[in-house]
Amino acid sequence: MMNSSEPLTNVLDSIVRSLQEQMGYINTLVLTKEHDKDGDFFLVKSHSNSKVLQKSLQDNCLIDIKNFRIPWRDDVILTQALKEHSIKTTSDIGSVIHKVLENLEYEFVQNVIRSTESKAVIVVPLFRRKNDMEKEEFGCMLVFSQVPASTENEIKFLTLFANQIELAITIAGLYEEVRKQAVTDPLTGLYNRRYFEENINREAERALRLGQPFSLISLDLDHLKTINDTYGHQYGDVAIKTISSVLKKQARSIDVPARIGGEEFNVMLPGVDSYGAMIAAERIRAAIEATPLEKIGNVTASIGVATFLEHSKNVFDLTELADQAMYRAKINGRNQVQMTQKQIETNWQKVAVNAFLDIVSKQRVQIPAELAGDITARLSAVSSSEKGAKEVIYSVVDILTQSYNSTYQSGFTKSKLHLAVKLAASMNMSKEDIDKLKIAVLLYDIGNIMIPENIFKKEDSLTEDEKNLIRKHPVIAAREILSPISSIQDVIPIIERHHENWDGSGYPGKVSGKDIPLGSQIILLIDAYYALTQDRPYRKAFSIDKALEIIQQGAGTKWSKELVEKFIPLIKHDDRE
């Protein structure tokens, strides 16, 4: 039972089924005590297989007993049994049904009683254990009996039975709660990123098999930083919870709303095409805007939409397309819905621009607000046009690098990338891998922004703690800054391994040889070359010949011999030119 999707429900089903079979009751139900904004109530969670009672209720009352809501009132026998911690019995079934099923005519109630042949109702309070000493109210077990009066032995048995199943209910409930916590976001109660990714991959397999589309909504809360700065982070959390509340209310039972991280949300809409998805997305946008928040007022969201089979047959690409549409909504003024365009080959410049826009606009790195605004403006200017994109990207990387390393010279980023491409081509890397390498060259040092500037300016030898801090920057870049950006997931392993040495003496994973991605090896070599040929606080720049000599000495230990053999002629050729 614990391995099922709903352990507690399975335990309850087993309890009511066993009790009916062993004792010959007409029907047995378990009702749990619940609470929502309207107060306490009972919910029918499980009932034994009594076709007579089920048909009677459906025919006479037009209700489905499962998940039926029953009011919590002091004059209802269920409430009395639970509050008094004692079993209650009555032969006045009509009165019980009348109070449980409000506003029913007397004749309907009598039809239910006659068709079930019930002569009495027994209500057994159920509790679950909080600890060895305390219990809390769980609900009631409701038994319909053919015998008008319960015997003393029957009551004793039901009391013993209730006490015995407490542990089963407690364990199943805890297990279900732990499983729920594993797939839900603690702040919002929405599904978490892991659960969402598992589900969207399963849905993609189903969609391909059946030829049925599904849509993805990518949503981002507007101006969260302003809310946090103006009102405090607790109000930022209120805004995030408001988004989640709207998503829960708007979602169908088969939809999968999830908090991906920070102020980012996704909603998967199974069986919905792009037309239906745009209607759903606009409904969500309007509901968010129309929900007032204390002190803040109203918040808005930017939303992107993409549809599987229509825009892409690849989950990763679909996520990227929905994100791009969402970014376009932000750039075009926020508080709007944008549909993605049909998938075309995304060039590396566009991926890089979107990645840096994400990093800066969502404050994934700590840089001055004025600098962030300038960079965002530059990137936004080229986001809708590829003209001049490369030069803007190079300048952005130069600016970001200079924010923590004042010795870094403008133009180095462009030179590094060109040299990396030449070296990659000499190693027969594919165009696709070279494009990934280009993006990695632009992003590999982004983790250094999180390291104090005084370490980079230090003229004395670094302490062991300072060295350890620097060694963390590939991990910081890969896991903390870049991992939330869906469009560069296949670039992250290159960045995370760009300080691994050929002989396994590097960091962070002590990976060696061909287990190191070739792109990582190329970045390590080029980064070392530019470091050697630049001034440092603790030394002057080496000449090109001296730098190549040092690199040659590291062939076979720090770098592969093959890579060094390809690299040195490239530098000498460029130097001659």
Side-chain angles (χ1 to χ4, degrees):
M1 292 181 184
M2 294 303 175
N3 286 328
S4 69
S5 60
E6 296 182 313
L8 181 58
T9 299
N10 275 1
V11 167
L12 297 179
D13 286 345
S14 176
I15 288 169
V16 296
R17 185 173 59 250
S18 299
L19 192 58
Q20 179 178 348
E21 291 171 354
Q22 296 299 322
M23 298 295 289
Y25 292 124
I26 291 174
N27 193 256
T28 305
L29 305 90
V30 171
L31 304 89
T32 56
K33 182 184 177 183
E34 308 287 343
H35 181 86
D36 64 11
K37 60 182 177 61
D38 296 323
D40 294 331
F41 62 96
F42 289 100
L43 193 68
V44 179
K45 293 291 286 186
S46 186
H47 65 89
S48 55
N49 187 22
S50 173
K51 294 181 180 178
V52 174
L53 180 61
Q54 184 72 14
K55 186 174 189 307
S56 174
L57 288 169
Q58 289 175 338
D59 290 348
N60 293 292
C61 310
L62 302 178
I63 66 166
D64 182 1
I65 193 170
K66 189 70 177 287
N67 291 322
F68 184 71
R69 180 173 174 143
I70 296 172
W72 174 278
R73 294 204 316 259
D74 289 341
D75 61 344
V76 175
I77 194 171
L78 305 172
T79 307
Q80 294 167 355
L82 196 56
K83 289 176 69 174
E84 296 174 18
H85 290 213
S86 64
I87 293 177
K88 299 289 184 180
T89 65
T90 181
S91 58
D92 188 3
I93 301 175
S95 176
V96 173
I97 295 178
H98 236 316
K99 289 177 179 178
V100 166
L101 305 175
E102 298 173 296
N103 303 320
L104 288 181
E105 295 182 4
Y106 177 80
E107 185 180 345
F108 274 165
V109 175
Q110 295 307 309
N111 284 339
V112 172
I113 296 170
R114 283 193 294 271
S115 61
T116 62
E117 299 182 354
S118 297
K119 298 294 189 295
V121 175
I122 306 171
V123 181
V124 183
L126 299 176
F127 301 87
R128 63 179 152 211
R129 302 178 187 179
K130 293 177 67 176
N131 50 51
D132 291 340
M133 302 296 294
E134 294 181 282
K135 298 179 181 180
E136 62 182 357
E137 296 173 336
F138 176 76
C140 292
M141 186 161 58
L142 191 64
V143 173
F144 288 85
S145 175
Q146 299 181 70
V147 181
S150 303
T151 67
E152 183 180 351
N153 282 341
E154 184 179 17
I155 298 300
K156 285 182 177 179
F157 169 79
L158 289 173
T159 301
L160 178 64
F161 187 82
N163 289 334
Q164 290 295 313
I165 65 175
E166 275 182 7
L167 185 59
I169 289 173
T170 301
I171 292 173
L174 289 172
Y175 193 82
E176 197 164 279
E177 183 63 26
V178 168
R179 290 186 60 175
K180 180 181 177 182
Q181 290 174 358
V183 299
T184 54
D185 171 62
L187 178 64
T188 64
L190 294 175
Y191 291 115
N192 59 23
R193 180 177 190 144
R194 175 184 174 185
Y195 181 87
F196 183 84
E197 290 175 348
E198 290 174 353
N199 270 264
I200 197 172
N201 283 314
R202 282 198 296 268
E203 183 63 21
E205 292 175 2
R206 189 194 67 81
L208 289 170
R209 186 173 66 253
L210 301 179
Q212 185 181 40
F214 70 87
S215 291
L216 174 62
I217 292 175
S218 178
L219 181 151
D220 195 277
L221 171 63
D222 294 329
H223 303 298
L224 178 62
K225 182 180 184 300
T226 302
I227 294 171
N228 286 334
D229 291 347
T230 306
Y231 304 104
H233 286 272
Q234 69 271 28
Y235 283 95
D237 286 348
V238 169
I240 289 171
K241 289 178 182 178
T242 300
I243 298 282
S244 66
S245 177
V246 169
L247 294 182
K248 290 174 187 175
K249 289 178 182 177
Q250 296 292 330
R252 304 170 299 166
S253 60
I254 61 172
D255 294 340
V256 183
R259 183 186 181 199
I260 303 304
E263 67 271 38
E264 301 173 68
F265 302 83
N266 279 352
V267 184
M268 184 177 72
L269 308 173
V272 176
D273 61 16
S274 58
Y275 178 78
M278 286 295 286
I279 293 174
E282 177 56 31
R283 190 166 57 241
I284 290 170
R285 185 208 63 77
I288 292 170
E289 186 180 24
T291 304
L293 278 71
E294 180 187 357
K295 200 170 184 179
I296 301 173
N298 294 76
V299 295
T300 61
S302 300
I303 303 175
V305 175
T307 300
F308 194 75
L309 298 183
E310 183 177 335
H311 298 121
S312 176
K313 294 182 179 180
N314 178 280
V315 168
F316 176 81
D317 292 340
L318 186 77
T319 304
E320 181 180 341
L321 290 169
D323 282 347
Q324 290 174 2
M326 181 269 292
Y327 283 126
R328 192 162 63 250
K330 278 195 175 297
I331 292 168
N332 290 344
R334 297 183 171 86
N335 190 26
Q336 58 184 268
V337 179
Q338 288 281 337
M339 169 66 71
T340 191
Q341 306 302 314
K342 284 191 176 294
Q343 185 181 16
I344 57 174
E345 183 181 357
T346 304
N347 59 42
W348 66 269
Q349 298 104 307
K350 190 174 293 185
V351 173
V353 167
N354 287 333
F356 279 108
L357 265 174
D358 186 296
I359 291 167
V360 177
S361 66
K362 295 183 179 178
Q363 296 183 307
R364 301 196 191 280
V365 294
Q366 298 299 315
I367 58 175
E370 185 177 349
L371 179 59
D374 176 56
I375 290 173
T376 301
R378 291 181 185 223
L379 293 169
S380 297
V382 299
S383 61
S384 58
S385 171
E386 294 179 14
K387 291 183 179 179
K390 286 192 284 190
E391 296 303 322
V392 170
I393 295 168
Y394 298 149
S395 68
V396 164
V397 178
D398 285 345
I399 291 168
L400 286 173
T401 307
Q402 288 164 351
S403 71
Y404 65 84
N405 180 5
S406 58
T407 65
Y408 192 85
Q409 298 178 29
S410 296
F412 270 3
T413 301
K414 181 177 181 179
S415 300
K416 283 184 178 182
L417 189 140
H418 286 181
L419 183 55
V421 170
K422 286 183 180 180
L423 185 54
S426 72
M427 297 293 288
N428 297 316
M429 284 181 70
S430 67
K431 179 185 180 302
E432 181 182 1
D433 285 338
I434 289 177
D435 283 348
K436 292 177 186 177
L437 175 62
K438 290 175 182 177
I439 299 168
V441 169
L442 298 170
L443 291 168
Y444 76 91
D445 256 354
I446 196 76
N448 279 335
I449 295 178
M450 311 302 281
I451 297 174
E453 185 180 359
N454 63 296
I455 292 180
F456 292 100
K457 293 182 176 180
K458 191 172 182 179
E459 296 183 8
D460 300 330
S461 299
L462 297 179
T463 66
E464 198 59 34
D465 287 343
E466 290 168 339
K467 290 178 182 178
N468 288 333
L469 187 59
I470 288 178
R471 290 185 186 119
K472 288 180 181 178
H473 88 270
V475 176
I476 293 172
R479 299 179 188 174
E480 297 182 22
I481 300 173
L482 305 179
S483 62
I485 306 174
S486 60
S487 60
I488 58 169
Q489 295 303 299
D490 53 354
V491 176
I492 289 176
I494 302 173
I495 295 170
E496 190 169 8
R497 299 299 185 196
H498 82 270
H499 272 293
E500 301 288 359
N501 293 337
W502 188 255
D503 63 359
S505 62
Y507 58 87
K510 303 295 183 184
V511 180
S512 64
K514 293 186 177 180
D515 289 336
I516 308 170
L518 179 55
S520 304
Q521 299 175 44
I522 290 173
I523 290 175
L524 176 64
L525 181 52
I526 289 174
D527 185 64
Y529 173 74
Y530 275 87
L532 290 168
T533 54
Q534 291 180 64
D535 286 336
R536 286 287 190 260
Y538 51 86
R539 63 156 173 81
K540 290 292 185 180
F542 292 113
S543 66
I544 291 176
D545 288 341
K546 181 61 177 178
L548 293 179
E549 180 185 335
I550 294 171
I551 287 171
Q552 182 68 65
Q553 292 170 356
T557 54
K558 197 170 181 66
W559 306 282
S560 74
K561 290 181 180 179
E562 181 185 8
L563 198 62
V564 173
E565 288 172 357
K566 299 284 187 181
F567 179 75
I568 291 176
L570 285 177
I571 298 299
K572 290 184 175 179
H573 180 267
D574 286 348
D575 189 39
R576 286 195 301 271
E577 289 184 346

